């Protein structure tokens, strides 16, 4: 374990990050020999290892060095915000006032804009053997967003082999807030050569959000029933891959799936991911209304820990509010907008069985 941690530190904390200082790396361990490592840059979940058959299996994708981490646009393991996924043309209105935030993905704003929360240095405010708490102050006007926003993210590794992520935020002006973690999973192992498409997935979601060519939801909530987006029962991801125009537009799966409201209580299984050889199962429990299931369609050529990644070398399951929510008044749930005085509070748990 010690050697593994030392290698990780060597890779990510030898050279300086965005602000000229080196990253702070934090390791958590549990009673079963599972580990989870994090860094203060982006409050990033860097590594997750499971002890399987006497080996340490890394199930997260990441960059090989800090220098590469700073260049990638995969958002490996980072907390993304203020607004996860896309806002069309980076424009929205709150309280009758229009705002323009940074454009960094075609015509649109992605994951909080040019210098999103993934690129900021968070403060470690608390830590123990199984928990670390990161905080970030995002000042009024940061990336064009209104209000001073204070964010707290708590990662806990439990002895039930769960990695829990609790999110909290407050603002002094009404502002869109949609936080998630952008970890990429490969339950066969980061270096295994297995693909996202070889995994089995179940999503307790009966609607998905089709998108336009820029990956902005069209506004329609489409029933999954009878389509390749139906993951109500566990299905191999590759089984109906790219079979329909809604997938072809996105180069695969890169869509928000709307959970059945009854599974968003934080204790029900909202999503289940099963390793190709069925030796690892990851269950996702969450209080968030949707999940962006992204099959790794833009990974090709991105330097990774064990190799240069190719298409579909990992997949992301990002629990969140709907992309472009602030521009879709018909969707409800405050459209992903946090009022001043209210508290944004959510939790997502990734539970591993192996
Ligand atoms: C999200 C988006 C994808 C892609 C990745 C980052 O999952 O939905 O389209 O931009 O982030 O590479």
């Amino acid at each position: 374990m010690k050697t593994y941690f030392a290698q990780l530190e060597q890779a990510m904390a030898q050279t300086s990050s965005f602000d000229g200082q080196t990253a702070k790396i934090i390791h958590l361990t549990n009673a079963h020999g599972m580990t989870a490592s994090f860094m203060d840059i982006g409050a990033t979940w860097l590594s997750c290892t499971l002890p399987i058959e006497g080996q340490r299996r890394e199930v997260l994708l990441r960059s090989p060095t800090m220098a590469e981490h700073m260049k990638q646009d995969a958002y490996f393991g980072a907390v993304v915000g203020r607004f996860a996924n896309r806002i069309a043309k980076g424009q929205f209105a709150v309280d009758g006032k229009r705002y323009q935030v940074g454009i960094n993905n075609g015509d649109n704003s992605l994951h909080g804009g040019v210098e999103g929360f993934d690129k900021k240095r968070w403060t470690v405010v608390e830590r123990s053997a199984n928990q670390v708490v990161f905080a970030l102050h995002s000042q009024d006007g940061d990336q064009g967003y209104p209000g001073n926003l204070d964010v707290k993210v708590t990662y806990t590794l439990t002895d039930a082999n769960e990695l829990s992520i609790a999110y909290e935020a407050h603002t002094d002006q009404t502002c869109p807030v949609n936080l998630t973690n952008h970890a990429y999973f490969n339950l066969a192992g980061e270096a295994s050569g297995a693909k996202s498409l070889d995994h089995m997935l179940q999503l307790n979601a009966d609607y998905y959000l089709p998108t336009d060519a820029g990956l902005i939801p069209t506004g329609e909530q489409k029933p999954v029933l009878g389509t390749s987006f139906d993951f109500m029962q566990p299905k191999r991801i590759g089984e109906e891959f790219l079979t329909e125009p809604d997938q072809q537009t996105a180069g695969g799966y890169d869509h928000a799936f709307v959970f059945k409201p009854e599974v968003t209580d934080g204790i029900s299984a909202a999503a289940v991911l099963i390793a190709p050889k069925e030796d690892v199962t990851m269950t996702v429990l969450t209080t968030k209304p949707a999940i962006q299931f992204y099959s790794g369609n833009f990974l090709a050529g991105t330097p990774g820990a064990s190799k240069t990644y190719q298409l579909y070398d990992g997949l992301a399951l990002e629990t969140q509010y709907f992309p472009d929510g602030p521009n879709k008044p018909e969707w409800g749930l405050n459209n992903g907008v946090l009022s001043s005085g209210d508290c944004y509070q959510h939790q997502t748990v990734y539970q591993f069985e192996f």
Side-chain angles (χ1 to χ4, degrees):
M1 206 179 283
K2 279 211 173 109
T3 327
Y4 192 79
F5 290 166
Q7 283 167 358
L8 200 55
E9 280 163 34
Q10 173 91 13
M12 303 310 291
Q14 278 292 95
T15 60
S16 52
S17 191
F18 300 104
D19 60 359
Q21 306 289 313
T22 54
K24 191 184 268 180
I25 315 285
I26 286 123
H27 309 287
L28 308 181
T29 52
N30 80 357
H32 305 293
M34 180 176 161
T35 72
S37 302
F38 304 88
M39 68 175 171
D40 57 350
I41 305 301
T44 301
W45 185 14
L46 269 183
S47 160
C48 180
T49 76
L50 312 177
I52 296 177
E53 290 166 358
Q55 306 274 314
R56 182 156 299 291
R57 184 182 296 182
E58 173 62 77
V59 294
L60 293 192
L61 270 54
R62 68 166 183 276
S63 300
T65 60
M66 175 51 81
E68 292 298 347
H69 181 82
M70 287 161 66
K71 285 189 229 158
Q72 49 90 29
D73 53 12
Y75 296 83
F76 290 127
V79 170
V80 297
R82 293 187 189 191
F83 200 90
N85 211 281
R86 294 172 178 79
I87 294 184
K89 301 196 164 52
Q91 294 175 359
F92 57 85
V94 280
D95 293 342
K97 199 170 160 204
R98 287 206 70 76
Y99 291 91
Q100 174 73 59
V101 297
I103 304 294
N104 59 341
N105 187 255
D107 295 337
N108 304 316
S109 185
L110 176 68
H111 295 329
V114 179
E115 196 194 311
F117 291 178
D118 59 294
K119 295 186 180 60
K120 311 258 191 201
R121 184 180 296 271
W122 295 56
T123 308
V124 178
V125 288
E126 271 175 60
R127 76 146 301 181
S128 64
N130 71 341
Q131 189 171 75
V132 56
V133 184
F134 292 101
L136 181 72
H137 175 76
S138 167
Q139 76 282 8
D140 183 16
D142 186 11
Q143 310 308 304
Y145 284 96
N148 287 291
L149 186 76
D150 282 290
V151 186
K152 216 165 89 174
V153 171
T154 304
Y155 290 106
T156 311
L157 177 62
T158 74
D159 285 340
N161 296 329
E162 300 159 325
L163 193 281
S164 133
I165 313 177
Y167 302 85
E168 221 182 274
H170 303 266
T171 174
D172 61 3
Q173 277 182 59
T174 301
C175 173
V177 177
N178 185 21
L179 305 172
T180 191
N181 180 284
H182 208 306
Y184 287 74
F185 301 96
N186 187 323
L187 299 185
E190 184 268 338
S192 67
K195 296 287 184 185
S196 60
L197 308 187
D198 305 327
H199 290 65
M200 304 267 287
L201 179 66
Q202 181 178 15
L203 298 173
N204 284 321
D206 34 22
Y207 294 92
Y208 74 102
L209 308 183
T211 66
D212 66 16
L215 302 185
I216 298 293
T218 58
E220 184 188 2
Q221 296 198 29
K222 214 163 160 177
V224 299
L225 199 69
T227 75
S228 61
F229 292 82
D230 188 348
F231 285 93
M232 293 291 281
Q233 300 302 319
K235 182 171 78 182
R236 204 173 62 82
I237 293 169
E239 193 172 314
E240 297 176 297
F241 197 64
L242 288 173
T243 54
E244 290 180 306
D246 280 348
Q247 276 196 65
Q248 289 152 10
T249 310
Y253 295 106
D254 192 353
H255 298 80
F257 286 72
V258 183
F259 285 132
K260 288 167 170 285
E262 62 268 27
V263 304
T264 62
D265 56 3
I267 50 174
S268 302
V272 181
L273 182 69
I274 303 169
K277 292 192 176 146
E278 300 186 14
D279 52 355
V280 180
T281 298
M282 184 182 83
T283 304
V284 184
L285 321 171
T286 191
T287 56
K288 298 188 200 171
I291 194 163
Q292 182 81 8
F293 162 40
Y294 167 54
S295 49
N297 317 329
F298 300 119
L299 275 177
T302 309
S306 67
K307 59 187 167 190
T308 296
Y309 295 132
Q310 298 307 324
L311 282 180
Y312 328 128
D313 271 347
L315 65 121
L317 290 170
E318 307 150 63
T319 55
Q320 56 183 52
Y321 182 70
F322 313 159
D324 200 34
N327 292 312
K328 304 284 195 297
E330 65 277 20
W331 281 347
L333 295 168
N334 300 324
N335 296 98
V337 174
L338 179 68
S339 301
S340 65
D342 283 356
C343 181
Y344 174 98
Q345 215 166 13
H346 278 290
Q347 184 172 325
T348 294
V349 174
Y350 297 95
Q351 184 182 70
F352 295 87
E353 282 169 78
F354 50 90

